[in-house]
Amino acid sequence: MKPTDTPKTYRVKSFGCQMNVYDGDRMGEMLAARGITPAPEGEDADLVVLNTCHIREKAAEKVYSDIGRLVKAGEEAGKKPLIAVAGCVAQAEGEEIMARAPAVSMVVGPQAYHRLPEMLDKAVAGERATDTDMPAIAKFDALPQRRKIGPTAFLTVQEGCDKFCTYCVVPYTRGAEISRPYGDLVSEAQKLVEAGAREITLLGQNVNAWSGEDDKGRRQGLAGLIHALAAIDGLERIRYTTSHPMDMDEALIAAHGEIAKLMPYLHLPVQSGNDRVLKAMNRSHTAEGYLRLLERFRAARPDIALSGDFIVGFPGETEAEFAGTLSLVDEVKYAQAFSFKYSARPGTPAATMDGQIAREVMDERLQRLQAALNRDQLAFNQASVGKTCEVLVERKGKHPGQWLGKSPWLQSVWFEADCAIGDLVTAELAEAGPNSLRGIPKVAALSSVG
Ligand code: 5AD
Ligand code: SF4
């Protein structure tokens, strides 16, 4: 590659989960710390980071077509953008990307992106570089501090996965489970609040597997960390995602009844409602075990909104086994949920299992499942009508004077009021749709930030 000018503008395109969004934001901050500014909307950037996701279908193909598009746009504009591929596809297929896509000058895995600035220096000098090492903790120490942020912030507390569900690439792309140290997290949360955050969502592939030693040397689980964060003045809301049923402990369940700042919402994937399928998925819990766990959460916090993930068409899934998923859904009555067609991921055990399911069968099952989940989501929203709650204002709505925010149950609520982003507005939920509710503020903006 030829040496090139130092880029002046960047764009990070993140795909996939919230962890990727978080990583993408942090990469942007690192570039900004180097004086590179975000490219204005609609303009080509000098440096593009494709922050990829590998969890489902056609991820790699999407990366190659994105690269092709960037090269073409560059040719038309008479310049060559620097291209970095980051995220889980970079981790899984880095070498292949380098071989197949000469326009890419940097490939950086999810545990190595703190080294992006050094790689950029090399790229500017005309050298291509790949870094897919996995020194996870080093990454967090090397990232710059966050200065100004919106009212809702993500904080990665745990990364990686040791569960090895047979369909999933995460244990291979994100590596083994690691927990960031307690002290680092408490001080980072304090800084986020100083920078404007009123809500923090704790992130981890298995966030409830987090453990660490507190300032007195006592072993703590996620509940202990949440108790400490709840003591931070100015932090109003705490959430966490994604949890695994096998990592749940009594303290975290109890925390939902004890900590007012911990929002009444739980995302707990189950994937299937059938025990044979769960076993083949290596989920190490049964449908019944999962349901009993939810009962304990509901006992601790009766209004808790439940959310989950589902896969339809896992190899060998029969119609009767799929019906088990539908009946679990009927029993739980989720407030929100995410459902996917099984996608064979290269290198995972399920990819070579017998009984791969035909696409049409998967399509049809997904349709039925989503109809049930949509029905329950609407019913949950309708049942909220008449409740009064605080809404954390996140952004302006489409019309003047209109604002959008989130209820404690993570529902989108829009309303008209004289307020500002970051306010907690008390509103009565007046009307419900499938994806949002209309609120009527009780009193205009109750509290303002700054
Ligand atoms: N195919 C389909 N869905 C998958 N997920 C993970 N791996 C796969 C796969 N191979 C889903 C699971 C998980 C969510 C993040 O993505 O439901 O909880
Ligand atoms: Fe993937 Fe299972 Fe780990 Fe979740 S728990 S990241 S689905 S292997």
Side-chain angles (χ1 to χ4, degrees), residues 37-66:
T37 56
E41 196 71 42
E43 274 181 35
D44 293 337
D46 302 335
L47 164 65
V48 179
V49 180
L50 299 173
N51 190 23
T52 60
C53 170
H54 201 227
I55 205 140
R56 281 176 295 273
E57 308 247 27
K58 303 206 175 87
E61 287 92 291
K62 218 162 44 200
V63 178
Y64 292 113
S65 67
D66 271 356

Short mmCIF file of all heavy atoms in Angstrom, two decimals, residues 37-66:
data_model
loop_
_atom_site.label_atom_id
_atom_site.label_comp_id
_atom_site.label_asym_id
_atom_site.label_seq_id
_atom_site.Cartn_x
_atom_site.Cartn_y
_atom_site.Cartn_z
N THR A 37 -12.08 14.08 13.18
CA THR A 37 -13.45 14.43 13.56
C THR A 37 -14.46 13.54 12.83
O THR A 37 -14.17 13.03 11.74
CB THR A 37 -13.77 15.91 13.23
OG1 THR A 37 -13.50 16.10 11.84
CG2 THR A 37 -12.92 16.86 14.05
N PRO A 38 -15.64 13.36 13.44
CA PRO A 38 -16.66 12.55 12.76
C PRO A 38 -17.05 13.20 11.42
O PRO A 38 -17.21 14.41 11.37
CB PRO A 38 -17.85 12.59 13.72
CG PRO A 38 -17.30 13.06 15.03
CD PRO A 38 -16.09 13.88 14.73
N ALA A 39 -17.17 12.39 10.38
CA ALA A 39 -17.56 12.94 9.08
C ALA A 39 -18.99 13.45 9.16
O ALA A 39 -19.85 12.77 9.72
CB ALA A 39 -17.44 11.87 8.00
N PRO A 40 -19.27 14.63 8.61
CA PRO A 40 -20.65 15.12 8.64
C PRO A 40 -21.57 14.15 7.90
O PRO A 40 -21.15 13.50 6.93
CB PRO A 40 -20.57 16.46 7.91
CG PRO A 40 -19.12 16.83 7.88
CD PRO A 40 -18.34 15.55 7.95
N GLU A 41 -22.81 14.09 8.37
CA GLU A 41 -23.84 13.24 7.75
C GLU A 41 -23.86 13.43 6.24
O GLU A 41 -23.83 14.56 5.75
CB GLU A 41 -25.20 13.66 8.34
CG GLU A 41 -26.33 12.67 8.13
CD GLU A 41 -26.15 11.41 8.99
OE1 GLU A 41 -25.77 11.54 10.18
OE2 GLU A 41 -26.39 10.34 8.43
N GLY A 42 -23.86 12.34 5.49
CA GLY A 42 -23.96 12.44 4.03
C GLY A 42 -22.64 12.67 3.32
O GLY A 42 -22.57 12.65 2.10
N GLU A 43 -21.57 12.91 4.06
CA GLU A 43 -20.27 13.11 3.42
C GLU A 43 -19.38 11.88 3.59
O GLU A 43 -19.47 11.19 4.60
CB GLU A 43 -19.55 14.31 4.06
CG GLU A 43 -19.94 15.61 3.42
CD GLU A 43 -19.20 16.79 4.04
OE1 GLU A 43 -18.02 16.64 4.41
OE2 GLU A 43 -19.83 17.85 4.14
N ASP A 44 -18.53 11.62 2.59
CA ASP A 44 -17.61 10.49 2.70
C ASP A 44 -16.55 10.78 3.77
O ASP A 44 -16.08 11.90 3.88
CB ASP A 44 -16.90 10.25 1.36
CG ASP A 44 -17.89 9.79 0.30
OD1 ASP A 44 -18.95 9.25 0.69
OD2 ASP A 44 -17.61 9.99 -0.90
N ALA A 45 -16.18 9.76 4.53
CA ALA A 45 -15.15 9.94 5.55
C ALA A 45 -13.80 9.51 4.98
O ALA A 45 -13.73 8.66 4.09
CB ALA A 45 -15.49 9.11 6.77
N ASP A 46 -12.71 10.09 5.52
CA ASP A 46 -11.36 9.68 5.09
C ASP A 46 -11.01 8.30 5.67
O ASP A 46 -10.21 7.58 5.10
CB ASP A 46 -10.30 10.68 5.60
CG ASP A 46 -10.57 12.10 5.10
OD1 ASP A 46 -11.23 12.22 4.04
OD2 ASP A 46 -10.13 13.06 5.76
N LEU A 47 -11.58 8.00 6.83
CA LEU A 47 -11.31 6.72 7.48
C LEU A 47 -12.65 6.09 7.88
O LEU A 47 -13.46 6.74 8.54
CB LEU A 47 -10.47 6.95 8.75
CG LEU A 47 -10.41 5.80 9.76
CD1 LEU A 47 -9.72 4.58 9.17
CD2 LEU A 47 -9.67 6.24 11.02
N VAL A 48 -12.87 4.86 7.44
CA VAL A 48 -14.12 4.18 7.79
C VAL A 48 -13.80 2.92 8.59
O VAL A 48 -12.96 2.11 8.18
CB VAL A 48 -14.93 3.81 6.53
CG1 VAL A 48 -16.21 3.08 6.91
CG2 VAL A 48 -15.26 5.05 5.72
N VAL A 49 -14.44 2.80 9.75
CA VAL A 49 -14.29 1.58 10.55
C VAL A 49 -15.58 0.78 10.41
O VAL A 49 -16.66 1.26 10.76
CB VAL A 49 -14.05 1.91 12.05
CG1 VAL A 49 -13.89 0.62 12.85
CG2 VAL A 49 -12.84 2.81 12.23
N LEU A 50 -15.48 -0.43 9.85
CA LEU A 50 -16.65 -1.31 9.78
C LEU A 50 -16.57 -2.21 11.00
O LEU A 50 -15.71 -3.09 11.09
CB LEU A 50 -16.61 -2.14 8.49
CG LEU A 50 -16.64 -1.35 7.18
CD1 LEU A 50 -16.43 -2.27 5.98
CD2 LEU A 50 -17.97 -0.60 7.04
N ASN A 51 -17.45 -1.95 11.95
CA ASN A 51 -17.42 -2.69 13.22
C ASN A 51 -18.44 -3.82 13.13
O ASN A 51 -19.63 -3.62 13.36
CB ASN A 51 -17.74 -1.71 14.36
CG ASN A 51 -17.48 -2.32 15.71
OD1 ASN A 51 -16.69 -3.27 15.83
ND2 ASN A 51 -18.14 -1.79 16.73
N THR A 52 -17.96 -4.99 12.75
CA THR A 52 -18.83 -6.07 12.26
C THR A 52 -19.38 -6.99 13.35
O THR A 52 -18.83 -7.08 14.44
CB THR A 52 -18.02 -6.95 11.30
OG1 THR A 52 -16.91 -7.47 12.04
CG2 THR A 52 -17.51 -6.16 10.11
N CYS A 53 -20.44 -7.69 12.98
CA CYS A 53 -21.06 -8.68 13.86
C CYS A 53 -21.07 -10.03 13.13
O CYS A 53 -21.34 -10.09 11.94
CB CYS A 53 -22.50 -8.26 14.16
SG CYS A 53 -23.45 -9.53 15.00
N HIS A 54 -20.81 -11.10 13.86
CA HIS A 54 -20.68 -12.41 13.22
C HIS A 54 -21.75 -13.38 13.68
O HIS A 54 -21.71 -14.56 13.36
CB HIS A 54 -19.28 -12.97 13.57
CG HIS A 54 -18.81 -14.03 12.62
ND1 HIS A 54 -18.26 -15.21 13.03
CD2 HIS A 54 -18.81 -14.07 11.28
CE1 HIS A 54 -17.95 -15.94 11.99
NE2 HIS A 54 -18.27 -15.27 10.91
N ILE A 55 -22.72 -12.87 14.46
CA ILE A 55 -23.58 -13.81 15.16
C ILE A 55 -24.55 -14.54 14.24
O ILE A 55 -24.91 -15.69 14.49
CB ILE A 55 -24.28 -13.14 16.36
CG1 ILE A 55 -24.64 -14.19 17.41
CG2 ILE A 55 -25.52 -12.36 15.96
CD1 ILE A 55 -24.43 -13.73 18.81
N ARG A 56 -24.98 -13.83 13.21
CA ARG A 56 -25.92 -14.49 12.29
C ARG A 56 -25.50 -14.26 10.85
O ARG A 56 -24.60 -13.52 10.56
CB ARG A 56 -27.34 -13.96 12.53
CG ARG A 56 -27.98 -14.60 13.74
CD ARG A 56 -29.33 -13.99 14.03
NE ARG A 56 -29.20 -12.60 14.40
CZ ARG A 56 -28.98 -12.17 15.63
NH1 ARG A 56 -28.88 -13.02 16.62
NH2 ARG A 56 -28.85 -10.88 15.89
N GLU A 57 -26.27 -14.86 9.98
CA GLU A 57 -26.13 -14.87 8.52
C GLU A 57 -25.29 -13.81 7.84
O GLU A 57 -25.39 -12.65 8.15
CB GLU A 57 -27.53 -14.63 7.94
CG GLU A 57 -28.54 -15.53 8.46
CD GLU A 57 -29.05 -16.46 7.42
OE1 GLU A 57 -28.30 -16.76 6.49
OE2 GLU A 57 -30.18 -16.89 7.58
N LYS A 58 -24.61 -14.25 6.85
CA LYS A 58 -24.06 -13.39 5.79
C LYS A 58 -23.27 -12.20 6.29
O LYS A 58 -23.17 -11.19 5.61
CB LYS A 58 -25.20 -12.87 4.89
CG LYS A 58 -26.02 -13.97 4.26
CD LYS A 58 -26.67 -13.49 2.96
CE LYS A 58 -27.39 -14.60 2.25
NZ LYS A 58 -28.76 -14.83 2.65
N ALA A 59 -22.73 -12.33 7.49
CA ALA A 59 -21.99 -11.20 8.04
C ALA A 59 -20.80 -10.87 7.16
O ALA A 59 -20.57 -9.71 6.81
CB ALA A 59 -21.55 -11.53 9.45
N ALA A 60 -20.04 -11.92 6.78
CA ALA A 60 -18.83 -11.68 6.01
C ALA A 60 -19.16 -11.09 4.63
O ALA A 60 -18.54 -10.12 4.20
CB ALA A 60 -18.04 -12.97 5.86
N GLU A 61 -20.18 -11.64 3.99
CA GLU A 61 -20.55 -11.11 2.67
C GLU A 61 -20.90 -9.63 2.74
O GLU A 61 -20.56 -8.85 1.88
CB GLU A 61 -21.76 -11.86 2.08
CG GLU A 61 -21.45 -13.25 1.61
CD GLU A 61 -21.70 -14.29 2.69
OE1 GLU A 61 -20.95 -14.31 3.70
OE2 GLU A 61 -22.64 -15.06 2.56
N LYS A 62 -21.59 -9.28 3.84
CA LYS A 62 -21.99 -7.88 4.02
C LYS A 62 -20.73 -6.99 4.12
O LYS A 62 -20.70 -5.90 3.57
CB LYS A 62 -22.83 -7.75 5.30
CG LYS A 62 -23.93 -6.77 5.12
CD LYS A 62 -25.09 -6.80 6.07
CE LYS A 62 -24.84 -6.95 7.52
NZ LYS A 62 -25.92 -7.40 8.32
N VAL A 63 -19.73 -7.50 4.81
CA VAL A 63 -18.49 -6.72 4.95
C VAL A 63 -17.86 -6.49 3.58
O VAL A 63 -17.49 -5.37 3.24
CB VAL A 63 -17.47 -7.45 5.86
CG1 VAL A 63 -16.18 -6.66 5.96
CG2 VAL A 63 -18.06 -7.68 7.24
N TYR A 64 -17.78 -7.56 2.77
CA TYR A 64 -17.14 -7.40 1.45
C TYR A 64 -17.95 -6.44 0.57
O TYR A 64 -17.38 -5.66 -0.17
CB TYR A 64 -16.96 -8.76 0.76
CG TYR A 64 -15.93 -9.60 1.47
CD1 TYR A 64 -16.29 -10.78 2.12
CD2 TYR A 64 -14.59 -9.20 1.52
CE1 TYR A 64 -15.35 -11.55 2.79
CE2 TYR A 64 -13.64 -9.96 2.19
CZ TYR A 64 -14.02 -11.13 2.82
OH TYR A 64 -13.09 -11.87 3.49
N SER A 65 -19.27 -6.49 0.68
CA SER A 65 -20.02 -5.58 -0.20
C SER A 65 -19.90 -4.14 0.32
O SER A 65 -19.83 -3.20 -0.47
CB SER A 65 -21.46 -6.03 -0.40
OG SER A 65 -22.17 -5.92 0.78
N ASP A 66 -19.81 -3.97 1.62
CA ASP A 66 -19.58 -2.62 2.17
C ASP A 66 -18.23 -2.08 1.71
O ASP A 66 -18.11 -0.91 1.33
CB ASP A 66 -19.58 -2.64 3.71
CG ASP A 66 -20.98 -2.42 4.27
OD1 ASP A 66 -21.89 -2.18 3.47
OD2 ASP A 66 -21.14 -2.50 5.50
#
